[in-house]
Amino acid sequence: MNTQSACLRSRPFIRLLRPATSLFALLVSTFCVHAQTGTGSVAGSVSSAETRNALQGAVVSVPALNRSELTDSSGAFLLQGLPPGPVELVISYSGFNDERRSTTVRAGESTRLDTSMRPSEAIVMQAFTVATEREGAALSITEQRNAANIKNVTALDEWGNLPTLSIAELAMRLPGITWTTDEDDVINNVSIRGQPPGFTRLNIDGMSSTGVGGDGRSATLHSFSGAMYEQIEVIAGQTPDKRADGLGGQLNLKTRSPLSLSEKRRFNYNMSARWAPSFAKRTQQRADHPIHPVFSFAYQERFDVLGGSRNLGVAVNLSYTEGVNMIAQDNLFYQSTTDPVAFNNDYTTTTGLNHRFIMGLSARVDYRLSPRTKFSARFLYNGGKEPYYDRTRIDPLGNATIFNGTNTGSIVPGFTDTRTELRPVPGASGTRMDIEMWRFSFISKNPTGTITGEHDFGALKLDYGARWSNTHWHSGAGANRQGGQLLMRAENIGFILDRSNLDGQVFTQTAGPSVYDPASYRTNIVFTKRDTVTDTNEVSGTFNATYTLPTELPITLKSGVDTVNRRVNNRQDYTQRWNRNANPAGPAGTLIPLSGLALMPVTRFEERNVPAGQRIPIFDPAAVSETLSDTALWTEDLVYAAQQPYVNRRLFEEAVDAAYIQAQTRIGRFNFLAGVRFEDVKVDTFTYVRYQTVSPLVEPDPVRRMALDYGASAREGAYSKSFPSVHLSYDIAANLKARASWSTSYGRPTLAQMVAGTSFNRTTEVVTTGNPGVGPQLAKNIDIKLEYYFKNSGVFTFGVFEKKITDYILNRVIGTVPSGPDNGFEGDLAGFTMTAPSNAGDAEVRGWEADYRQRLTFLPGAFKGITLAANYTWLEASGRFTGVTPIATNDVAGFIPRAGNVRLVYNYKKFGASAVLNYTGKHLSSASPVSPVQNRLFRDKLVRVNMGVTYKWRPEAQFYVDVSNIFEEDITVYRYIPSRTRTVIFSGRTINFGVSGQF
């Protein structure tokens, strides 16, 4: 394709984009005018001589002409517009020796030049190196060094094995990253620099992708396999050509191009087993399921097609993980007091097992039509299946009133800080034993399809892409609706709670009907089947043009447009509830007790609190489900079933259209990038509101009655914002770089804030609802950073930053409901005061961050095999999170002010060893800012250590053993003071052993 035809073919498409940006036309027309003739080009690739991997981000320069290019994801480069004659090229890459190559440029022709680079002498010591880990570190450092903005990059190769192949296992180790877990202690969401997880945006290869969160935006990673990706980027200061909606930051997962191979074909494999040994903490259920497989396979190959040479690359990755995790959690509830002694009136133990089957599949085809043009088609699939999610909650509790001899208080005077006695008190508000049994399932599917194109015409470069991403998750009553949720209660019991040893006996019954007898559970017997479904569909597209002006000062202009269109459909299907029938042979108000049915496995409560030979009657919901058709025992609640499709219906559609312009130049050692991004957001929401309560006498049919009670609430919102940013860097010395960044970003409101369940009070004439018109939370970010790059592929960085957030979203009065049939409430509620989320607060976050990674080759003798990596983040926050009252760091719920990681690796010949420590500081877990200090919940600091050893028998087989949470650190939350333990999530040690290799 020649220059003229490229210009002509561009014009029709540019005319279509003129309403969004006219800069495309300027770029293309300028390129056509200045297109050079009588010149030649040099095309080629850069790879590692040792591993034959392509080296992405290598600098290929022509010093005599002051020209340079970076190799792309396949290691390829193209230098165009070169004058005919001899030319010398210099190729450089972090941790590798510079290569100097000479060739001759011929007018109108392209000269081919492929280069293999060798590691620098300082790190090539065969006895102390693992080539893939070394090149992984070099890749991440090179990408971070070449970036125009501030970000942290890590490659999966440099971290070795991931115990469950989860991408979250690596993300949690990066600077500024903290994490949350599911109830079975599996990492669920990640946060950047202390912001809520909902403000972390997920991208794949730079484009938007749905996560498995409620609104599809959050980086929910529990079902994302790390076997598919090459790098992770954590982006704090975003450039104008990328999304601006990551108020906390953005997580970008990058896949590997199959054109990066130097050889014809490659296979990689990893096969292991994850084991919960007998010498680890484990429940009986975990002991019954101690070991499960984890494996991944990868295939890559390059082909010669359509007259080209090795111009088609194909890659297929498959991973499978069985993640079996115990659920073991204690919760204790106390008297609300600042006194050193508080009674404990509620002790809950939750036990269960979650058997996760996680499958990942990726396929990528890259086709290089010519040195100037490349196309790519990619498909990713992350699937999570949890068909056997069993959980039991056993909860002995009483009211929070001290008995004075005449009242109905359950607390016996004389309690201590560790021991509380509760006397028998009848009724639902007395002393009782509540039991909840779950047997349900969870399924998530996350397919993503992408097509991209890249064109390099020298001064002008074009790239574009289109993506479809979908998330479907379904939490149901078992794969075949054979399960559900069973509740039942035994009342009027007496017991002692002694929490002096939470690993021993805490509960001892002293009076009342035996909690071990099924006949004692005669009230509040309810069985529910619930299927909650969310479908998130997203279609996105992007088009970018980059043009380098034909000026002595290198100035590059870039502009583009993109769109993200998301639809979230949340609903409940087939929800049913049954109530146990009254017991004609028992006291008035009691129900027919359950008996003679299969029980759930032994719980942690029973292991510690129940005498030998006794069982708590924790009936298997699957067995109970088989009895529901017996109308003598159960009565279905038809009103509940008719109501749920209205109560839990949420639908919202969101369109984000954006355009941007940015300019970049380099003057000596100084690099400058600045620009502005414009984003226009439109939101449509839908839910149901209960406007009235029709009497059953008027309409006896519950389905018709609910249709009369509920009406639609459909509302719209829109806003447009601009997001300027400036990014500066200066090369103080060859290996020392200074960076400064000022950027703006925003956090869009959540699904719950935009389309919350609506309620109203006709007496007070107040409506509480969601607000699709609520604007985003805006942030102005300042980052200053020093980066020092060691000659032997290492880096030390230190940065300070500040984030000022305005328009913090709060609940407050936003106006009155207008009159008319289109008021969003079908003409009802006119004149009512409306309260909803709105923008009113502000906040400020500041801190510093340090990151160090280096191979310690300067040490003597056998110590040369040591690699050390460490990072630490220190934060503080303040602001008016409630709109009025100033709040400081320790009072901001969910804000984590301290976090760090340390990794130590040692390699010698065929042997390797590693240790990784993760630290999360103490922080306020949850509490209203105006709540009494004695009610505040703090999550205690958490330090977890993983260790591993490897033996590399040959390239085709490396054996390894990894131990996770070697010291079995639990997650602990306390109330008010550390001795007042509120929640403990027990976590056991697991061991992975396996073999991996390449051939």
Side-chain angles (χ1 to χ4, degrees), residues 516-534:
Y516 314 114
D517 183 356
S520 300
Y521 295 84
R522 302 183 297 182
T523 60
N524 199 43
I525 303 177
V526 180
F527 194 94
T528 305
K529 290 180 180 287
R530 181 182 296 109
D531 287 72
T532 303
V533 181
T534 295

PDB file of all heavy atoms in Angstrom, residues 516-534:
ATOM      1  N   TYR A 516     -29.166 -29.702  70.988  1.00  0.00           N
ATOM      2  CA  TYR A 516     -28.747 -30.865  70.205  1.00  0.00           C
ATOM      3  C   TYR A 516     -29.940 -31.723  69.783  1.00  0.00           C
ATOM      4  O   TYR A 516     -29.777 -32.685  69.042  1.00  0.00           O
ATOM      5  CB  TYR A 516     -27.759 -31.714  71.022  1.00  0.00           C
ATOM      6  CG  TYR A 516     -26.699 -30.883  71.698  1.00  0.00           C
ATOM      7  CD1 TYR A 516     -26.635 -30.788  73.084  1.00  0.00           C
ATOM      8  CD2 TYR A 516     -25.769 -30.174  70.946  1.00  0.00           C
ATOM      9  CE1 TYR A 516     -25.671 -30.010  73.704  1.00  0.00           C
ATOM     10  CE2 TYR A 516     -24.808 -29.378  71.567  1.00  0.00           C
ATOM     11  CZ  TYR A 516     -24.766 -29.299  72.942  1.00  0.00           C
ATOM     12  OH  TYR A 516     -23.805 -28.518  73.554  1.00  0.00           O
ATOM     13  N   ASP A 517     -31.119 -31.339  70.251  1.00  0.00           N
ATOM     14  CA  ASP A 517     -32.333 -32.100  69.958  1.00  0.00           C
ATOM     15  C   ASP A 517     -33.113 -31.392  68.844  1.00  0.00           C
ATOM     16  O   ASP A 517     -33.506 -30.222  69.002  1.00  0.00           O
ATOM     17  CB  ASP A 517     -33.197 -32.202  71.217  1.00  0.00           C
ATOM     18  CG  ASP A 517     -34.441 -33.054  71.002  1.00  0.00           C
ATOM     19  OD1 ASP A 517     -34.680 -33.500  69.857  1.00  0.00           O
ATOM     20  OD2 ASP A 517     -35.177 -33.255  71.985  1.00  0.00           O
ATOM     21  N   PRO A 518     -33.349 -32.047  67.705  1.00  0.00           N
ATOM     22  CA  PRO A 518     -34.101 -31.401  66.617  1.00  0.00           C
ATOM     23  C   PRO A 518     -35.468 -30.908  67.061  1.00  0.00           C
ATOM     24  O   PRO A 518     -35.971 -29.906  66.525  1.00  0.00           O
ATOM     25  CB  PRO A 518     -34.222 -32.518  65.578  1.00  0.00           C
ATOM     26  CG  PRO A 518     -33.078 -33.436  65.857  1.00  0.00           C
ATOM     27  CD  PRO A 518     -32.882 -33.389  67.334  1.00  0.00           C
ATOM     28  N   ALA A 519     -36.073 -31.563  68.052  1.00  0.00           N
ATOM     29  CA  ALA A 519     -37.410 -31.163  68.499  1.00  0.00           C
ATOM     30  C   ALA A 519     -37.405 -29.808  69.197  1.00  0.00           C
ATOM     31  O   ALA A 519     -38.473 -29.203  69.380  1.00  0.00           O
ATOM     32  CB  ALA A 519     -37.988 -32.234  69.425  1.00  0.00           C
ATOM     33  N   SER A 520     -36.223 -29.311  69.586  1.00  0.00           N
ATOM     34  CA  SER A 520     -36.152 -28.010  70.257  1.00  0.00           C
ATOM     35  C   SER A 520     -36.329 -26.857  69.280  1.00  0.00           C
ATOM     36  O   SER A 520     -36.632 -25.731  69.692  1.00  0.00           O
ATOM     37  CB  SER A 520     -34.805 -27.873  70.981  1.00  0.00           C
ATOM     38  OG  SER A 520     -34.639 -28.889  71.948  1.00  0.00           O
ATOM     39  N   TYR A 521     -36.121 -27.123  67.982  1.00  0.00           N
ATOM     40  CA  TYR A 521     -36.203 -26.055  66.975  1.00  0.00           C
ATOM     41  C   TYR A 521     -37.625 -26.034  66.421  1.00  0.00           C
ATOM     42  O   TYR A 521     -37.982 -26.797  65.515  1.00  0.00           O
ATOM     43  CB  TYR A 521     -35.162 -26.309  65.876  1.00  0.00           C
ATOM     44  CG  TYR A 521     -33.745 -26.206  66.417  1.00  0.00           C
ATOM     45  CD1 TYR A 521     -33.137 -27.302  67.037  1.00  0.00           C
ATOM     46  CD2 TYR A 521     -33.042 -25.017  66.347  1.00  0.00           C
ATOM     47  CE1 TYR A 521     -31.860 -27.217  67.562  1.00  0.00           C
ATOM     48  CE2 TYR A 521     -31.754 -24.924  66.870  1.00  0.00           C
ATOM     49  CZ  TYR A 521     -31.175 -26.016  67.472  1.00  0.00           C
ATOM     50  OH  TYR A 521     -29.908 -25.927  68.001  1.00  0.00           O
ATOM     51  N   ARG A 522     -38.438 -25.145  67.028  1.00  0.00           N
ATOM     52  CA  ARG A 522     -39.876 -25.176  66.756  1.00  0.00           C
ATOM     53  C   ARG A 522     -40.414 -23.833  66.282  1.00  0.00           C
ATOM     54  O   ARG A 522     -41.615 -23.675  66.137  1.00  0.00           O
ATOM     55  CB  ARG A 522     -40.620 -25.621  68.015  1.00  0.00           C
ATOM     56  CG  ARG A 522     -40.196 -26.991  68.533  1.00  0.00           C
ATOM     57  CD  ARG A 522     -41.003 -27.423  69.733  1.00  0.00           C
ATOM     58  NE  ARG A 522     -40.820 -26.531  70.895  1.00  0.00           N
ATOM     59  CZ  ARG A 522     -41.392 -26.716  72.080  1.00  0.00           C
ATOM     60  NH1 ARG A 522     -42.196 -27.757  72.250  1.00  0.00           N
ATOM     61  NH2 ARG A 522     -41.176 -25.887  73.078  1.00  0.00           N
ATOM     62  N   THR A 523     -39.524 -22.856  66.052  1.00  0.00           N
ATOM     63  CA  THR A 523     -39.991 -21.546  65.568  1.00  0.00           C
ATOM     64  C   THR A 523     -39.092 -21.071  64.424  1.00  0.00           C
ATOM     65  O   THR A 523     -37.951 -21.524  64.266  1.00  0.00           O
ATOM     66  CB  THR A 523     -39.957 -20.490  66.694  1.00  0.00           C
ATOM     67  OG1 THR A 523     -38.619 -20.347  67.171  1.00  0.00           O
ATOM     68  CG2 THR A 523     -40.856 -20.884  67.850  1.00  0.00           C
ATOM     69  N   ASN A 524     -39.664 -20.146  63.645  1.00  0.00           N
ATOM     70  CA  ASN A 524     -38.912 -19.485  62.570  1.00  0.00           C
ATOM     71  C   ASN A 524     -38.266 -20.492  61.622  1.00  0.00           C
ATOM     72  O   ASN A 524     -37.111 -20.348  61.220  1.00  0.00           O
ATOM     73  CB  ASN A 524     -37.834 -18.571  63.168  1.00  0.00           C
ATOM     74  CG  ASN A 524     -37.336 -17.530  62.170  1.00  0.00           C
ATOM     75  OD1 ASN A 524     -38.131 -16.936  61.449  1.00  0.00           O
ATOM     76  ND2 ASN A 524     -36.032 -17.305  62.118  1.00  0.00           N
ATOM     77  N   ILE A 525     -39.023 -21.514  61.248  1.00  0.00           N
ATOM     78  CA  ILE A 525     -38.510 -22.510  60.296  1.00  0.00           C
ATOM     79  C   ILE A 525     -38.950 -22.091  58.895  1.00  0.00           C
ATOM     80  O   ILE A 525     -40.134 -22.148  58.547  1.00  0.00           O
ATOM     81  CB  ILE A 525     -39.020 -23.925  60.628  1.00  0.00           C
ATOM     82  CG1 ILE A 525     -38.627 -24.306  62.064  1.00  0.00           C
ATOM     83  CG2 ILE A 525     -38.448 -24.941  59.647  1.00  0.00           C
ATOM     84  CD1 ILE A 525     -39.161 -25.660  62.516  1.00  0.00           C
ATOM     85  N   VAL A 526     -37.980 -21.650  58.098  1.00  0.00           N
ATOM     86  CA  VAL A 526     -38.258 -21.083  56.767  1.00  0.00           C
ATOM     87  C   VAL A 526     -37.250 -21.665  55.777  1.00  0.00           C
ATOM     88  O   VAL A 526     -36.057 -21.789  56.087  1.00  0.00           O
ATOM     89  CB  VAL A 526     -38.141 -19.543  56.778  1.00  0.00           C
ATOM     90  CG1 VAL A 526     -38.438 -18.973  55.393  1.00  0.00           C
ATOM     91  CG2 VAL A 526     -39.072 -18.945  57.812  1.00  0.00           C
ATOM     92  N   PHE A 527     -37.732 -22.003  54.596  1.00  0.00           N
ATOM     93  CA  PHE A 527     -36.856 -22.504  53.533  1.00  0.00           C
ATOM     94  C   PHE A 527     -37.020 -21.611  52.307  1.00  0.00           C
ATOM     95  O   PHE A 527     -38.144 -21.335  51.873  1.00  0.00           O
ATOM     96  CB  PHE A 527     -37.196 -23.953  53.172  1.00  0.00           C
ATOM     97  CG  PHE A 527     -36.133 -24.620  52.342  1.00  0.00           C
ATOM     98  CD1 PHE A 527     -35.135 -25.368  52.941  1.00  0.00           C
ATOM     99  CD2 PHE A 527     -36.107 -24.485  50.961  1.00  0.00           C
ATOM    100  CE1 PHE A 527     -34.143 -25.983  52.194  1.00  0.00           C
ATOM    101  CE2 PHE A 527     -35.125 -25.093  50.200  1.00  0.00           C
ATOM    102  CZ  PHE A 527     -34.133 -25.849  50.810  1.00  0.00           C
ATOM    103  N   THR A 528     -35.878 -21.151  51.740  1.00  0.00           N
ATOM    104  CA  THR A 528     -35.908 -20.215  50.613  1.00  0.00           C
ATOM    105  C   THR A 528     -35.035 -20.727  49.482  1.00  0.00           C
ATOM    106  O   THR A 528     -33.917 -21.203  49.705  1.00  0.00           O
ATOM    107  CB  THR A 528     -35.408 -18.822  51.042  1.00  0.00           C
ATOM    108  OG1 THR A 528     -36.176 -18.370  52.159  1.00  0.00           O
ATOM    109  CG2 THR A 528     -35.543 -17.826  49.902  1.00  0.00           C
ATOM    110  N   LYS A 529     -35.555 -20.627  48.281  1.00  0.00           N
ATOM    111  CA  LYS A 529     -34.768 -20.860  47.057  1.00  0.00           C
ATOM    112  C   LYS A 529     -34.694 -19.526  46.313  1.00  0.00           C
ATOM    113  O   LYS A 529     -35.728 -18.913  46.036  1.00  0.00           O
ATOM    114  CB  LYS A 529     -35.424 -21.921  46.165  1.00  0.00           C
ATOM    115  CG  LYS A 529     -35.369 -23.343  46.717  1.00  0.00           C
ATOM    116  CD  LYS A 529     -36.050 -24.292  45.737  1.00  0.00           C
ATOM    117  CE  LYS A 529     -36.036 -25.735  46.245  1.00  0.00           C
ATOM    118  NZ  LYS A 529     -34.699 -26.345  46.156  1.00  0.00           N
ATOM    119  N   ARG A 530     -33.477 -19.105  46.037  1.00  0.00           N
ATOM    120  CA  ARG A 530     -33.304 -17.798  45.414  1.00  0.00           C
ATOM    121  C   ARG A 530     -32.271 -17.898  44.301  1.00  0.00           C
ATOM    122  O   ARG A 530     -31.186 -18.441  44.492  1.00  0.00           O
ATOM    123  CB  ARG A 530     -32.854 -16.776  46.459  1.00  0.00           C
ATOM    124  CG  ARG A 530     -32.672 -15.360  45.927  1.00  0.00           C
ATOM    125  CD  ARG A 530     -32.176 -14.413  47.005  1.00  0.00           C
ATOM    126  NE  ARG A 530     -33.154 -14.254  48.077  1.00  0.00           N
ATOM    127  CZ  ARG A 530     -33.015 -14.734  49.294  1.00  0.00           C
ATOM    128  NH1 ARG A 530     -31.930 -15.425  49.607  1.00  0.00           N
ATOM    129  NH2 ARG A 530     -33.938 -14.549  50.214  1.00  0.00           N
ATOM    130  N   ASP A 531     -32.582 -17.353  43.139  1.00  0.00           N
ATOM    131  CA  ASP A 531     -31.645 -17.281  42.023  1.00  0.00           C
ATOM    132  C   ASP A 531     -31.443 -15.821  41.653  1.00  0.00           C
ATOM    133  O   ASP A 531     -32.354 -15.166  41.119  1.00  0.00           O
ATOM    134  CB  ASP A 531     -32.183 -18.045  40.815  1.00  0.00           C
ATOM    135  CG  ASP A 531     -32.108 -19.549  41.008  1.00  0.00           C
ATOM    136  OD1 ASP A 531     -32.898 -20.090  41.812  1.00  0.00           O
ATOM    137  OD2 ASP A 531     -31.246 -20.171  40.373  1.00  0.00           O
ATOM    138  N   THR A 532     -30.252 -15.296  41.952  1.00  0.00           N
ATOM    139  CA  THR A 532     -29.912 -13.922  41.608  1.00  0.00           C
ATOM    140  C   THR A 532     -29.008 -13.928  40.388  1.00  0.00           C
ATOM    141  O   THR A 532     -27.984 -14.623  40.376  1.00  0.00           O
ATOM    142  CB  THR A 532     -29.199 -13.224  42.777  1.00  0.00           C
ATOM    143  OG1 THR A 532     -30.040 -13.272  43.931  1.00  0.00           O
ATOM    144  CG2 THR A 532     -28.889 -11.779  42.437  1.00  0.00           C
ATOM    145  N   VAL A 533     -29.389 -13.169  39.386  1.00  0.00           N
ATOM    146  CA  VAL A 533     -28.687 -13.184  38.100  1.00  0.00           C
ATOM    147  C   VAL A 533     -28.304 -11.757  37.725  1.00  0.00           C
ATOM    148  O   VAL A 533     -29.106 -10.835  37.864  1.00  0.00           O
ATOM    149  CB  VAL A 533     -29.562 -13.796  36.988  1.00  0.00           C
ATOM    150  CG1 VAL A 533     -28.812 -13.818  35.659  1.00  0.00           C
ATOM    151  CG2 VAL A 533     -29.996 -15.202  37.373  1.00  0.00           C
ATOM    152  N   THR A 534     -27.073 -11.589  37.244  1.00  0.00           N
ATOM    153  CA  THR A 534     -26.640 -10.312  36.683  1.00  0.00           C
ATOM    154  C   THR A 534     -25.970 -10.560  35.348  1.00  0.00           C
ATOM    155  O   THR A 534     -25.066 -11.395  35.250  1.00  0.00           O
ATOM    156  CB  THR A 534     -25.667  -9.575  37.618  1.00  0.00           C
ATOM    157  OG1 THR A 534     -26.338  -9.221  38.818  1.00  0.00           O
ATOM    158  CG2 THR A 534     -25.147  -8.302  36.959  1.00  0.00           C
TER     159      THR A 534
END
